[in-house]
Amino acid sequence: NFQNKPKITFENNGAWYSPLTDIMNVPNKKYFHDIHEYYSTFFHELVHSTGHKKRLNRKGVINVERASKEYAREELIAEIGASMLCGIAGIDNEIIDNSASYIQYWLRRLKNDPKLVVHASQQAQKACDYILGEVNEIRKSA
């Protein structure tokens, strides 16, 4: 139900999302330890793509340096969103340790500010709603 989704490619040059070209890439499934890691990575990049200016327009996606706080916040949003989507897909228990470690890493980079977790979770929920096509239902009922 993802409206206006990015172009998705499956080249073996890493997992990434480019806001300049609005292209998301995830390597072939065979390059992952297991299928759960593949989908976790796929969902992570998909959540990044919701931040594009023609979707939810998050600051951390557009023209941001990798060492910036905006980038770290965006990584939190993408990983929390990926965890949410994994839960919906029924693979939450398979990747929970990796996701928790990744989230903890970015929290440390952001000085463990507890408000950031709440903010990132809110943004991750919006991203998941957008991907799942639930954003229009929310707007209609508001």
Side-chain angles (χ1 to χ4, degrees), residues 67-118:
S68 71
K69 282 188 175 186
E70 288 83 12
Y71 183 82
R73 282 189 207 116
E74 178 61 24
E75 286 300 319
L76 272 178
I77 293 165
E79 193 62 20
I80 292 169
S83 294
M84 290 173 175
L85 292 171
C86 283
I88 291 166
I91 57 174
D92 54 337
N93 291 332
E94 307 297 333
I95 50 87
I96 196 78
D97 290 338
N98 287 347
S99 288
S101 294
Y102 195 74
I103 289 167
Q104 189 61 41
Y105 169 78
W106 288 105
L107 280 173
R108 281 193 304 274
R109 295 273 315 264
L110 292 165
K111 312 287 190 245
N112 287 315
D113 184 346
K115 289 184 254 177
L116 290 174
V117 176
V118 173

Coordinates of all heavy atoms in Angstrom, one line a residue, residues 67-118:
A67 N 27.9 12.7 10.1 CA 28.3 12.9 11.5 C 27.3 13.8 12.3 O 27.5 14.1 13.4 CB 29.7 13.5 11.5
S68 N 26.3 14.3 11.6 CA 25.4 15.3 12.2 C 24.4 14.6 13.1 O 24.1 13.4 13.0 CB 24.6 16.1 11.2 OG 23.7 15.3 10.5
K69 N 23.8 15.4 14.0 CA 22.7 14.9 14.9 C 21.5 14.5 14.1 O 20.8 13.6 14.4 CB 22.3 16.0 15.9 CG 23.3 16.1 17.1 CD 22.8 17.0 18.2 CE 23.7 16.9 19.4 NZ 23.2 17.7 20.5
E70 N 21.2 15.3 13.0 CA 20.0 15.0 12.2 C 20.2 13.6 11.6 O 19.2 12.9 11.5 CB 19.9 16.0 11.1 CG 19.4 17.4 11.6 CD 20.5 18.3 12.1 OE1 21.7 17.9 11.9 OE2 20.2 19.3 12.8
Y71 N 21.4 13.3 11.1 CA 21.6 11.9 10.6 C 21.4 10.8 11.6 O 20.8 9.8 11.4 CB 23.0 11.8 10.0 CG 23.3 10.5 9.3 CD1 22.9 10.3 8.0 CD2 24.0 9.5 10.0 CE1 23.2 9.1 7.4 CE2 24.3 8.3 9.4 CZ 23.9 8.1 8.1 OH 24.1 6.9 7.5
A72 N 22.0 11.1 12.8 CA 21.8 10.1 13.9 C 20.3 9.9 14.2 O 19.9 8.8 14.4 CB 22.6 10.5 15.1
R73 N 19.6 11.0 14.3 CA 18.1 10.9 14.6 C 17.4 10.1 13.5 O 16.6 9.3 13.7 CB 17.5 12.3 14.6 CG 17.8 13.0 15.9 CD 16.9 14.3 16.0 NE 17.7 15.2 16.9 CZ 18.2 16.3 16.6 NH1 18.0 16.8 15.4 NH2 18.8 17.1 17.4
E74 N 17.8 10.4 12.2 CA 17.2 9.6 11.1 C 17.5 8.1 11.2 O 16.7 7.3 10.9 CB 17.7 10.2 9.8 CG 17.2 9.5 8.6 CD 15.6 9.5 8.4 OE1 14.9 10.4 8.9 OE2 15.1 8.5 7.8
E75 N 18.7 7.8 11.6 CA 19.1 6.4 11.8 C 18.2 5.7 12.9 O 17.8 4.6 12.7 CB 20.5 6.2 12.1 CG 21.4 6.4 10.9 CD 21.1 5.4 9.7 OE1 20.9 4.2 10.0 OE2 21.1 5.9 8.6
L76 N 17.9 6.5 13.9 CA 17.0 6.0 15.0 C 15.6 5.7 14.4 O 15.0 4.7 14.7 CB 16.9 7.0 16.1 CG 17.9 6.9 17.3 CD1 17.7 8.0 18.3 CD2 17.9 5.5 17.9
I77 N 15.1 6.7 13.7 CA 13.8 6.6 13.1 C 13.7 5.4 12.2 O 12.8 4.6 12.3 CB 13.4 7.9 12.3 CG1 13.3 9.0 13.3 CG2 12.2 7.7 11.5 CD1 13.3 10.4 12.6
A78 N 14.7 5.2 11.3 CA 14.7 4.1 10.4 C 14.8 2.7 11.1 O 14.1 1.8 10.7 CB 15.9 4.2 9.4
E79 N 15.6 2.6 12.1 CA 15.7 1.3 12.8 C 14.5 1.0 13.7 O 14.1 -0.1 13.7 CB 17.0 1.3 13.7 CG 17.4 -0.1 14.2 CD 17.7 -1.1 13.0 OE1 18.0 -0.7 11.9 OE2 17.6 -2.3 13.3
I80 N 14.0 2.0 14.3 CA 12.7 1.8 15.1 C 11.6 1.4 14.1 O 10.8 0.5 14.4 CB 12.4 3.0 16.0 CG1 13.4 3.1 17.1 CG2 11.0 2.9 16.6 CD1 13.4 4.5 17.9
G81 N 11.5 2.1 13.0 CA 10.5 1.8 12.0 C 10.7 0.4 11.5 O 9.7 -0.3 11.3
A82 N 11.9 0.1 11.2 CA 12.2 -1.3 10.7 C 11.7 -2.3 11.7 O 11.2 -3.4 11.3 CB 13.6 -1.4 10.3
S83 N 12.0 -2.1 12.9 CA 11.6 -3.0 14.0 C 10.1 -3.1 14.1 O 9.5 -4.2 14.2 CB 12.1 -2.6 15.4 OG 13.5 -2.6 15.4
M84 N 9.4 -2.0 13.9 CA 7.9 -2.0 13.9 C 7.4 -2.9 12.7 O 6.5 -3.7 12.9 CB 7.4 -0.6 13.8 CG 7.5 0.2 15.0 SD 7.0 1.9 14.7 CE 7.2 2.6 16.3
L85 N 8.0 -2.6 11.5 CA 7.5 -3.4 10.3 C 7.9 -4.9 10.5 O 7.1 -5.7 10.0 CB 8.1 -2.8 9.1 CG 7.6 -1.4 8.7 CD1 8.5 -0.8 7.6 CD2 6.2 -1.5 8.3
C86 N 9.0 -5.2 11.1 CA 9.4 -6.6 11.3 C 8.3 -7.2 12.3 O 7.9 -8.4 12.0 CB 10.8 -6.7 11.9 SG 12.1 -6.5 10.7
G87 N 7.9 -6.5 13.3 CA 6.9 -7.0 14.2 C 5.6 -7.3 13.4 O 5.0 -8.3 13.6
I88 N 5.2 -6.4 12.5 CA 4.0 -6.6 11.7 C 4.1 -7.8 10.8 O 3.2 -8.6 10.7 CB 3.7 -5.4 10.9 CG1 3.2 -4.2 11.8 CG2 2.6 -5.6 9.9 CD1 3.2 -2.9 11.2
A89 N 5.4 -8.0 10.3 CA 5.6 -9.2 9.4 C 5.9 -10.5 10.2 O 6.0 -11.5 9.6 CB 6.8 -8.9 8.6
G90 N 5.9 -10.4 11.5 CA 6.1 -11.6 12.4 C 7.5 -12.0 12.5 O 7.8 -13.2 12.9
I91 N 8.5 -11.1 12.3 CA 9.9 -11.5 12.4 C 10.6 -10.7 13.5 O 11.8 -10.6 13.5 CB 10.7 -11.5 11.1 CG1 10.6 -10.0 10.5 CG2 10.2 -12.5 10.1 CD1 11.5 -9.9 9.3
D92 N 9.9 -10.1 14.4 CA 10.4 -9.3 15.4 C 11.4 -10.0 16.4 O 12.5 -9.4 16.7 CB 9.4 -8.5 16.2 CG 8.3 -9.5 16.8 OD1 8.2 -10.6 16.3 OD2 7.7 -9.1 17.8
N93 N 11.1 -11.2 16.8 CA 12.0 -11.9 17.7 C 13.3 -12.3 17.1 O 14.3 -12.5 17.8 CB 11.3 -13.1 18.3 CG 10.2 -12.6 19.3 OD1 10.3 -11.6 19.9 ND2 9.2 -13.5 19.4
E94 N 13.3 -12.4 15.8 CA 14.5 -12.9 15.1 C 15.6 -11.9 15.0 O 16.8 -12.2 14.9 CB 14.1 -13.4 13.6 CG 13.0 -14.4 13.6 CD 13.3 -15.7 14.3 OE1 14.5 -16.1 14.3 OE2 12.3 -16.3 14.7
I95 N 15.3 -10.6 15.0 CA 16.3 -9.6 14.8 C 16.4 -8.6 15.9 O 17.1 -7.6 15.8 CB 16.0 -8.8 13.5 CG1 14.5 -8.3 13.4 CG2 16.3 -9.7 12.2 CD1 14.3 -7.0 14.0
I96 N 15.8 -8.9 17.0 CA 15.7 -7.9 18.1 C 17.0 -7.5 18.7 O 17.3 -6.4 19.0 CB 14.7 -8.4 19.2 CG1 14.3 -7.3 20.2 CG2 15.3 -9.6 20.0 CD1 13.3 -6.4 19.6
D97 N 17.9 -8.5 18.8 CA 19.3 -8.2 19.4 C 20.0 -7.2 18.5 O 20.6 -6.2 19.0 CB 20.1 -9.5 19.6 CG 19.5 -10.3 20.7 OD1 18.8 -9.8 21.6 OD2 19.8 -11.5 20.7
N98 N 20.0 -7.4 17.2 CA 20.7 -6.5 16.3 C 20.1 -5.2 16.3 O 20.8 -4.2 16.3 CB 20.8 -7.1 14.9 CG 21.7 -8.3 14.7 OD1 22.5 -8.6 15.6 ND2 21.6 -9.0 13.6
S99 N 18.8 -5.1 16.3 CA 18.1 -3.8 16.3 C 18.4 -3.0 17.6 O 18.7 -1.8 17.5 CB 16.6 -4.0 16.1 OG 16.3 -4.4 14.8
A100 N 18.3 -3.7 18.7 CA 18.6 -3.1 20.0 C 20.0 -2.5 20.0 O 20.2 -1.4 20.5 CB 18.4 -4.0 21.1
S101 N 21.0 -3.3 19.5 CA 22.4 -2.8 19.5 C 22.5 -1.6 18.6 O 23.2 -0.6 19.0 CB 23.3 -3.9 19.0 OG 23.3 -5.0 19.9
Y102 N 21.9 -1.6 17.5 CA 22.0 -0.5 16.5 C 21.4 0.8 17.1 O 21.9 1.8 17.0 CB 21.3 -0.9 15.2 CG 21.6 0.0 14.0 CD1 22.9 0.0 13.4 CD2 20.7 0.9 13.6 CE1 23.2 0.8 12.3 CE2 21.0 1.7 12.5 CZ 22.2 1.7 11.9 OH 22.5 2.5 10.8
I103 N 20.2 0.6 17.7 CA 19.5 1.7 18.3 C 20.4 2.3 19.5 O 20.5 3.5 19.6 CB 18.1 1.3 18.8 CG1 17.2 1.1 17.6 CG2 17.5 2.3 19.8 CD1 15.9 0.4 17.9
Q104 N 20.9 1.4 20.3 CA 21.8 1.8 21.4 C 23.0 2.6 20.9 O 23.4 3.6 21.5 CB 22.2 0.6 22.3 CG 22.9 1.0 23.5 CD 22.0 1.8 24.5 OE1 20.9 1.6 24.6 NE2 22.6 2.9 25.1
Y105 N 23.6 2.2 19.8 CA 24.7 2.9 19.2 C 24.4 4.3 18.9 O 25.1 5.3 19.3 CB 25.2 2.2 18.0 CG 26.2 3.0 17.2 CD1 27.5 3.1 17.6 CD2 25.8 3.7 16.0 CE1 28.4 3.9 16.9 CE2 26.7 4.5 15.3 CZ 28.0 4.5 15.7 OH 28.9 5.3 15.0
W106 N 23.2 4.5 18.2 CA 22.8 5.9 17.8 C 22.4 6.7 19.0 O 22.6 7.9 19.1 CB 21.8 5.8 16.7 CG 22.4 5.4 15.4 CD1 22.2 4.2 14.8 CD2 23.3 6.2 14.6 NE1 23.0 4.1 13.7 CE2 23.6 5.3 13.5 CE3 23.8 7.4 14.7 CZ2 24.5 5.8 12.5 CZ3 24.7 7.9 13.7 CH2 25.0 7.0 12.6
L107 N 21.8 6.1 20.0 CA 21.5 6.8 21.2 C 22.7 7.4 21.9 O 22.7 8.5 22.4 CB 20.7 5.9 22.2 CG 19.2 5.8 21.9 CD1 18.6 4.8 22.8 CD2 18.5 7.1 22.0
R108 N 23.8 6.5 22.0 CA 25.0 7.0 22.6 C 25.6 8.2 21.8 O 26.1 9.1 22.4 CB 26.1 5.9 22.6 CG 25.8 4.9 23.8 CD 27.0 4.0 24.0 NE 27.4 3.2 22.8 CZ 26.9 2.0 22.5 NH1 25.9 1.5 23.2 NH2 27.3 1.4 21.4
R109 N 25.5 8.1 20.5 CA 25.9 9.2 19.7 C 25.2 10.5 19.9 O 25.6 11.6 19.8 CB 25.8 8.9 18.2 CG 26.7 7.8 17.7 CD 28.1 8.2 17.2 NE 28.1 9.4 16.4 CZ 28.2 9.4 15.1 NH1 28.1 8.3 14.4 NH2 28.3 10.6 14.5
L110 N 23.9 10.4 20.4 CA 23.0 11.5 20.7 C 23.0 11.8 22.2 O 22.1 12.4 22.7 CB 21.6 11.2 20.2 CG 21.5 11.2 18.6 CD1 20.2 10.6 18.2 CD2 21.7 12.6 18.1
K111 N 24.0 11.3 22.9 CA 24.1 11.5 24.4 C 23.0 11.0 25.2 O 22.6 11.5 26.2 CB 24.3 13.0 24.6 CG 25.3 13.7 23.8 CD 26.7 13.4 24.2 CE 27.7 14.2 23.5 NZ 28.6 13.6 22.5
N112 N 22.4 9.9 24.7 CA 21.3 9.2 25.5 C 20.2 10.1 25.9 O 19.6 9.9 27.0 CB 21.9 8.5 26.7 CG 22.7 7.2 26.4 OD1 22.3 6.5 25.5 ND2 23.9 7.1 27.0
D113 N 19.8 11.0 25.1 CA 18.7 11.9 25.4 C 17.4 11.1 25.3 O 17.0 10.7 24.2 CB 18.7 13.1 24.4 CG 17.6 14.1 24.6 OD1 16.7 13.8 25.4 OD2 17.7 15.2 24.1
P114 N 16.7 10.9 26.4 CA 15.5 10.0 26.3 C 14.3 10.7 25.5 O 13.5 9.9 24.9 CB 15.0 9.9 27.8 CG 15.8 10.9 28.5 CD 17.0 11.3 27.7
K115 N 14.3 12.0 25.3 CA 13.3 12.6 24.5 C 13.5 12.2 23.0 O 12.5 12.1 22.3 CB 13.4 14.1 24.6 CG 12.9 14.6 25.9 CD 12.9 16.2 25.9 CE 14.0 16.6 26.8 NZ 14.2 18.1 26.8
L116 N 14.7 11.9 22.6 CA 14.9 11.5 21.2 C 14.3 10.2 20.9 O 13.8 10.0 19.8 CB 16.4 11.4 21.0 CG 17.1 12.8 20.9 CD1 18.6 12.6 20.8 CD2 16.6 13.6 19.8
V117 N 14.2 9.3 21.9 CA 13.6 8.0 21.6 C 12.1 8.2 21.4 O 11.5 7.6 20.4 CB 13.8 7.0 22.8 CG1 13.0 5.7 22.6 CG2 15.2 6.7 23.0
V118 N 11.5 9.0 22.2 CA 10.0 9.3 22.0 C 9.8 10.0 20.6 O 8.9 9.6 19.9 CB 9.5 10.2 23.1 CG1 8.1 10.6 22.9 CG2 9.6 9.5 24.5

